Each structure stands twice: as structure tokens, then as C-alpha cells.
Amino acid sequence: MEYGQIERTMYVEATPEVVYEVISSPTHLKEWWPDDVALEPVPGAVGELVWGERGTPDVQIVPITVVDAQPHRLFSFRWTHPAEEPAGVGNSLFVTFELAPSGDGTSVRMTETGFREMGWEIAALEKEYSEHIKGWDWFLPRLVQCAERLVARR
């Protein structure tokens, strides 16, 4: 196995405007991905993703840095870097959501890269890569559902 990149494509029955809102707005991110988000969806913004309840032993707080934010087209970020370090190649993973109109909806291409650049031993690399595949396979269908619910509410 290569362990270099995770790529998923999906079709969402919602406009690129709605899908962009769902992948970049903290309010909507919380509906499909982490339990809490502190983030401004603008390039250079640094924030955090929170799984679990703050103040509990099982909480997982993950740093996130927005790299690019082109409304209705592209949203990318780096994450998993040490909180005390700026995100960059070698200390974080890079996620990109590319949006394109498709019929009455949106084609979404998600890629995550940077696994090999993290310098992990092969066992750690395999474990992290596998966990991210399982995570995206769980969360991305929730993203689609969130966008489609948002359309239905409007």
C-alpha cells in the first residue's frame, strides 16, 4: 500500500454555495465532523477541532490551520500539527475540498496528503493512514447528509 494520499469523490444534491458553507462554517462542521470547532474560515486562521467534551480525560483537541478559502470552489487546511508549532510540511496533514457544479448539485473531491512526510515509522504510518481512511469513510457521508438537510430546511 502507498500511504501517500487519501482521495474521495462524492456527489451532493446541493449547490456549491451550500456545500462550501457545510465544509467551512464552524456551525455546520459541528453537524458532521467534530463535536466543537473554533475556527475562522479565512486563509491563515488557526483554530482547533474538538472531539468529546472539553475538560474531560477523553477529549481530543486537534489544531487546524486554514490554508486556502475560495468560496464555493475550494477549502483547504492543515491539521494534526503540535499546538505550539505552526502547521507545515512534515508536521501536519493537508486536506483539500474541491467543489465543482454538477447538474443540480456539486461534485466534491476531498484529498488528504502528508502522511509520508510526517516521518513516522512504518507501523505508525500504517496505523494513522488506516485510521484516517476509516474516519473519512464515516464522516464524509455525514457531510453529504448535512448539506442535503440544509437544502431541505431552506
Side-chain angles (χ1 to χ4, degrees), residues 93-107:
L93 300 174
F94 182 59
V95 176
T96 302
F97 285 92
E98 297 171 86
L99 313 178
S102 178
D104 292 333
T106 303
S107 174

Side-chain angles (χ1 to χ4, degrees), residues 4 6-7 9-10 38 57 59 68 90 94 98 101-102 108 113 125 130:
I6 296 171
E7 181 176 328
T9 57
M10 65 208 94
V59 69
D68 201 353
F94 182 59
E98 297 171 86
S102 178
V108 180
T113 60
L125 173 62
S130 175

Side-chain angles (χ1 to χ4, degrees), residues 3 6 8 26-27 36 48 54 59 65 80 84 96 110 115-116 125 131 139 152 154:
Y3 308 116
I6 296 171
R8 298 289 184 269
T27 300
D36 196 14
E48 57 188 23
R54 290 179 190 271
V59 69
T65 301
T80 70
E84 66 280 357
T96 302
M110 185 284 306
F115 293 94
R116 287 187 306 243
L125 173 62
E131 286 179 4
F139 289 113
R154 290 185 173 177

Side-chain angles (χ1 to χ4, degrees), residues 6-150:
I6 296 171
E7 181 176 328
R8 298 289 184 269
T9 57
M10 65 208 94
Y11 176 78
V12 183
E13 291 185 22
T15 63
E17 291 81 6
V18 169
V19 176
Y20 185 82
E21 188 178 332
V22 168
I23 62 172
S24 65
S25 161
T27 300
H28 295 298
L29 281 166
K30 291 188 293 188
E31 293 179 42
W32 66 271
W33 197 23
D35 296 313
D36 196 14
V37 181
L39 181 70
E40 284 289 321
V42 296
V46 177
E48 57 188 23
L49 305 170
V50 180
W51 282 271
E53 189 174 330
R54 290 179 190 271
T56 65
D58 295 336
V59 69
Q60 182 182 13
I61 300 174
V62 179
I64 181 172
T65 301
V66 177
V67 174
D68 201 353
Q70 299 174 31
H72 324 306
R73 293 188 28 219
L74 178 85
F75 188 71
S76 64
F77 57 87
R78 288 194 166 276
W79 71 317
T80 70
H81 55 286
E84 66 280 357
E85 296 178 21
V89 175
N91 78 345
S92 62
L93 300 174
F94 182 59
V95 176
T96 302
F97 285 92
E98 297 171 86
L99 313 178
S102 178
D104 292 333
T106 303
S107 174
V108 180
R109 180 175 173 247
M110 185 284 306
T111 57
E112 183 174 33
T113 60
F115 293 94
R116 287 187 306 243
E117 293 80 2
M118 294 292 278
W120 291 317
E121 297 291 328
I122 190 66
L125 173 62
E126 290 173 352
K127 179 180 180 285
E128 287 297 321
Y129 188 82
S130 175
E131 286 179 4
H132 282 247
I133 284 176
K134 289 176 190 168
W136 289 120
D137 287 348
W138 167 254
F139 289 113
L140 291 175
R142 293 167 48 105
L143 177 160
V144 172
Q145 294 166 356
C146 178
E148 292 174 356
R149 276 194 313 269
L150 187 57

